[in-house]
Amino acid sequence: MKSRDEMVADADALLHRLFPICRSITGPGVRETLAVMGRTAPFAIREVASGTECFDWTVPDEWTIRDAYVADASGRRIIEFRASNVHVLSYSEPVDREMSFDELLPHLHTHPDLPAAIPYRTAYYRRAWGFCLSQEQLEGMDRNGRYRAKIDSTLAPGSLTYGDRVLNGSGGCEYVISTYSCHPSLANDNLSGLVLWTLLLRELSSRQLRHTYRFVVAPETIGSVVYLSQHRDAMRDVAGGFVISTVAGPGKLGYKQTYRGDSQIDRAVRQAFRELQTDFVEYPFTILGSDERNFSGPAFRIPVGTICKDKYYEYAYYHTSLDDLRFVSASSLVETLDVYLRAIEILEADRTYTSLVAGEPQLGKRGLYTSIGGAVSPQAGADDVNTILSAAFWADGKTSVLGIAERTGLPVGALAAASEKLASAGLVRAEPDLP
Ligand code: ZN
């Protein structure tokens, strides 16, 4: 495993390298982004042609943006795509026209509550063009002036790009780990998710795994629909997963529950926070969110949760130009990565054992128990005794290692190691994983 400092340095380098790229649900910015991520952690990059039917959706035309601006009568560019790609309404069709302020105004979008911020707006599924600008910029415009609006873009048949990689485990279950690639220069939502996904993929690909992890990076909504429609059979067997979103803000760590609220994913995440002794905000499942809406929908019902740091909707700069590299930090990102890793380690260790002896096993004669009995207060080694006795006591074929941890407050890793000692001594047997 890389050291924490190396992880933070790698996260920082990726954040800075990827931030300026103009991403959308399709187009060259997404391809460039995935290519850069793949240099840190390789995965397959796939293209799905415009017009492809996927369940109730159709892959749209591909969007390419080269330049966009609004210039005043003197030719001075007052709204400039090159200054911030958030300035252009994502999926804008081309335009090149002179017009009055009143003609231009319906195409201008601001965020009056945050007057210095450029809002992020999209028009994926209807033809439109527009610019986003700060309320302050709008108020500085001459209402009697004439303007030239120019968007040099192409909307034409092409393809939607996504990436995936399956890390095969030695047995166990399968989990999906996804993130979305469609937001332009916005740091917490969701460049941070892309970077965490990449570092998590690299880290897990260096480990021996019991479970299988299916990593997916695709544009939000349409990408998960495309992915599910193209991997329908494989996705039916997935036991749970995560959508990685908004993971590097300055605020509190958070967790958005799966649609079930009590699934193994929910329990593993709560246990991870307990073991890391980290305070967090828990958000109930709501339908407003991200790709869990598709992964957990009626046809698949995969319990999918999100560990975040400054969750989407919850911070003032959400979906604005102020969600930039000053708002996020690589060390916050790695803090969230630690929680994902701990939750996955808990999933890896979580098995159910069945006792093979009636009554308490005699641990002492197998060297599994302190040889001097009768201590009246907890002493050195008492934790080990508590752990191995708990592992033996709860080996009822129903209570998993995670369940024992929840009942006893003991860490999953120690309980799993104790259970394996009991199994090696022939005192318990591991149950096969349920799909
Ligand atoms: Zn978003």
Side-chain angles (χ1 to χ4, degrees), residues 183 189 318-319:
H183 288 37
D189 182 27
Y318 168 70
H319 276 191

Side-chain angles (χ1 to χ4, degrees), residues 262-332:
D262 63 349
S263 71
Q264 190 202 27
I265 294 288
D266 299 293
R267 293 169 55 209
V269 172
R270 290 185 195 116
Q271 179 68 21
F273 278 114
R274 253 193 312 275
E275 292 187 6
L276 294 167
Q277 300 182 351
T278 304
D279 210 11
F280 70 107
V281 190
E282 189 153 346
Y283 302 97
F285 178 81
T286 62
I287 201 61
L288 299 177
S290 185
D291 290 313
E292 63 274 14
R293 208 153 58 214
N294 280 303
F295 293 125
S296 308
F300 296 95
R301 285 292 188 244
I302 303 167
V304 172
T306 294
I307 302 164
C308 41
K309 196 163 183 301
D310 272 304
K311 182 182 169 293
Y312 52 84
Y313 302 146
E314 303 288 325
Y315 59 101
Y317 295 172
Y318 168 70
H319 276 191
T320 77
S321 58
L322 298 181
D323 182 358
D324 62 13
L325 290 177
R326 287 167 296 187
F327 181 67
V328 298
S329 74
S331 62
S332 286

Side-chain angles (χ1 to χ4, degrees), residues 406-417:
E406 290 167 337
R407 287 166 185 275
T408 60
L410 294 164
V412 162
L415 284 164

